[in-house]
Amino acid sequence: MLGEYAPFVLAAYGVTIALVGGLVALSVWRGARVRAALEKVERKDG
């Protein structure tokens, strides 16, 4: 199907999936941190 370039194409897909997955995980983790910090500030003020 991909011929002689299959290893390169599949490696590129793998790297892309890993990077996108890492960015999604980082966004979720950072969002949780920001949400927790916001709740802490709101409790202190309120």
Side-chain angles (χ1 to χ4, degrees), residues 7-21:
F8 303 107
V9 172
L10 295 176
Y13 273 116
V15 169
T16 301
I17 290 169
L19 288 174
V20 170

Side-chain angles (χ1 to χ4, degrees), residues 3-35:
E4 65 182 286
Y5 300 108
F8 303 107
V9 172
L10 295 176
Y13 273 116
V15 169
T16 301
I17 290 169
L19 288 174
V20 170
L23 287 172
V24 168
L26 181 64
S27 295
V28 169
W29 174 74
R30 191 165 183 200
R33 267 186 47 206
V34 169
R35 191 173 304 113

